[in-house]
Amino acid sequence: MKISLVYYFVLFFSLLKPLQSATICNPNDKKVLLQIKNYYSRNATTFSTWNPKTDCCKWSNTGCNDAAYPGRITYLFVTYDNDISGTISPMVGDLPFLKTLGFYHLPNVTGLIPSTITKLSKLEILTLTANKLTGPIPDFLRQIKTLQHLDLSNNRFFGTVPSFLSSLPNIFKLELFSNKLTGTIPESFGSFKNISLDLSDNHLSGAVPRSLGHANLTYLSVGRNKLTGDVSFLFARDKPLKTINLSRNKFKFDFTNVDLPHGLELIYISQNMIYGSLPKRLGKVPLYSIDVSRNQLCGPIPTGLQAFSPSKFAHNKCLCGVPLPPCKK
Ligand SMILES: *[C@@H]1O[C@H](CO)[C@@H](O)[C@H](O)[C@H]1NC(C)=O
Ligand SMILES: *[C@@H]1O[C@H](CO)[C@@H](O)[C@H](O)[C@H]1NC(C)=O
Ligand SMILES: *[C@@H]1O[C@H](CO)[C@@H](O)[C@H](O)[C@H]1NC(C)=O
Ligand SMILES: *[C@@H]1O[C@H](CO)[C@@H](O)[C@H](O)[C@H]1NC(C)=O
Ligand SMILES: *[C@@H]1O[C@H](CO)[C@@H](O)[C@H](O)[C@H]1NC(C)=O
């Protein structure tokens, strides 16, 4: 009885030890995480499991999940914590294996993005949404060639939209909405190879560069800016565009002969000065959401759109037919 118990005990630990040492976090990474913890208030619940005596790969809000780099911290999320205040700790730049870094929904986080993040040569996802970060969108972001998804939305960034963003070779999602950005959309944005782009709710002005008609946009939102002119070139049957939101700008063009992308699922063009009639194919694309209200549109609503609410077509010059009242003969 006793012997077998001791036997199992020894067996258990001889199995556990090598397993554990394989996943135990790198001492440098642990040191850096503890510096980040100390940078903020002790009250922050984000760090409640960050005990120096335990394996930091097992702490909450962080982890080591890349088998190629055992024991290295690959992600860090500091989120939804009012006790995190001040700037983003510059020490985040000393976690060289980080692939995902998120500081978001932190109402007391202010200041600039620390330039130390340029040391993160493996960083793919940077999510800094819904804080009170400020400054121009920093030029040093161009050094992080590995970036795939950059989310700076819902902050207080000002200045222009930098043209270098389209030269990040791996970027496929760029979210800059709800900031205080000014100026025009860069000409260079025509060179995006595959992009989901959200610039809505800023103070952008001027015409959308024609080059953007050559970019492969999968999602485009520029709603609630001060953009002007004709953007019919954004539409073409063979484009991968599924969502387009142009609402609340000063766009002015004839909608009649716009060639809708075959996979279009959502189109919001409300509150512009768009004229002509609705393209016939609007009822034939796989739309699940539409809003063309408050424009200068006229003529019959194409068949296939009857299920949408009349409000989505309201306040135009003379749109008619289901779901609006019948056209006059
Ligand atoms: C932490 O919380 C305690 C008790 O709620 C409070 O007295 C203290 O001021 C807080 N410390 C900081 C740094 O916010
Ligand atoms: C953090 O933000 C909350 C809500 O915005 C506020 O009530 C609180 O006083 C702030 N705390 C600190 C430490 O700044
Ligand atoms: C857009 O995608 C098509 C097909 O995938 C490709 O041929 C074209 O080069 C792409 N355009 C750009 C600007 O990358
Ligand atoms: C384009 O980006 C989407 C994510 O937005 C991704 O799922 C898709 O694989 C990408 N396509 C190409 C051709 O890179
Ligand atoms: C379109 O953009 C407007 C303005 O930013 C925004 O209020 C609305 O929620 C957006 N709609 C969709 C479906 O994205």
Side-chain angles (χ1 to χ4, degrees), residues 190 192-193 214-216:
F192 278 121
K193 288 181 185 67
H214 303 297
N216 282 328

Side-chain angles (χ1 to χ4, degrees), residues 200 223-224 245 247 266 268:
S200 57
R224 213 161 163 213
N245 189 345
S247 63
L266 182 148
Y268 276 44

